Amino acid sequence: MNVLSTKIDDFRKTKDGKYIQGASHTSIILNHKFRNMIVMEAVRKLRPYAFDTIVGCGTSGLIVIPQIAEILDKHILVVRKPKEKCYSEFSTEGVSPSRYIILDDLICSGNTVKHIKRVIKNEYPIAKCVGIYCYLPQECAYRDNPDGSALCQRDLGVPLLNTCPERT
C-alpha cells in the first residue's frame, strides 16, 4: 500500500474521529495503523543486512526506530541535530555502533545523513555505515530514478537499502 496515495483523511483521522496535527510525513507515523505497516515493511527489508545498530536523528525517526530495533534485536543510537537545545551534552546517545544503518523518514538534501555520518565518524571512527533506509520512500529524493541507490552512493557515500517506488 502506498501510504501517501491515500486520501488525507485516511492517515490524519484516528479511529475515534480525531485529527492528527503535524507535517504530513510525521502525521503518517503518528497514526498507529500506518506506523505499524511502515515498521513491518522496514523489518522485512532490513532483516537480510548485517548490522548491529540503527541510527536516527529527529522526532519522526524516534517514533519508529525503537519498534524496528526491538523486533530485529538491534541497538539504537540517537544523533542530536546541530545546535539542538536539550538536557544532554552528548552529541550521540545510545550504543557505540560497529556496523550501522541510518533510518530516516525522507531524503531531500541529504543534510541529515551527512550530519549523522560526520558525527559518527568523529565519535566512533571505526564504525561503518551499511546504508540508508528511507521508511517513507515516496518522500525520497531518489525515488524517481531506477539507479536511486547508485546515486545515493555517489551523493552520500552509502547505498539506499530500499527501492523508492515512483509516485502515483
Side-chain angles (χ1 to χ4, degrees):
M1 174 182 187
N2 182 348
V3 173
L4 294 181
S5 70
T6 60
K7 294 187 317 188
I8 192 162
D9 285 344
D10 287 348
F11 69 85
R12 286 207 186 264
K13 197 169 187 180
T14 63
K15 283 191 320 188
D16 60 355
K18 294 183 179 179
Y19 283 89
I20 299 169
Q21 178 179 321
S24 62
H25 67 283
T26 306
S27 297
I28 291 168
I29 58 172
L30 285 171
N31 183 318
H32 71 87
K33 181 172 108 181
F34 293 105
R35 182 177 59 251
N36 289 340
M37 288 189 298
I38 289 166
V39 166
M40 295 318 294
E41 179 70 4
V43 165
R44 186 179 70 77
K45 289 197 174 182
L46 291 175
R47 202 175 291 279
Y49 293 97
F51 65 100
D52 63 345
T53 306
I54 299 175
V55 178
C57 181
T59 303
S60 60
L62 290 176
I63 295 171
V64 296
I65 289 173
Q67 290 176 286
I68 296 167
E70 184 175 346
I71 294 167
L72 292 174
D73 195 26
K74 304 297 181 185
H75 300 296
I76 298 171
L77 182 71
V78 178
V79 174
R80 296 283 181 192
K81 290 188 174 191
K83 301 177 185 173
E84 180 181 17
K85 292 182 181 182
C86 62
Y87 295 107
S88 172
E89 71 267 13
F90 298 102
S91 58
T92 66
E93 295 192 51
V95 177
S96 172
S98 179
R99 294 175 52 84
Y100 67 95
I101 286 177
I102 297 172
L103 204 80
D104 201 13
D105 52 359
L106 55 97
I107 300 172
C108 189
S109 67
N111 288 337
T112 300
V113 171
K114 290 173 189 173
H115 170 70
I116 289 171
K117 287 182 63 188
R118 185 173 45 252
V119 168
I120 290 179
K121 184 177 181 180
N122 289 337
E123 297 274 333
Y124 315 100
I126 62 170
K128 178 177 178 7
C129 184
V130 173
I132 303 164
Y133 180 83
C134 184
Y135 60 84
L136 291 177
Q138 299 83 358
E139 295 295 317
C140 177
Y142 300 101
R143 74 184 165 276
D144 294 327
N145 194 310
D147 296 326
S149 187
L151 292 173
C152 186
Q153 176 79 48
R154 180 199 70 193
D155 296 346
L156 302 174
V158 289
L160 185 64
L161 301 178
N162 59 320
T163 56
C164 294
E166 292 182 20
R167 286 189 169 176
T168 55

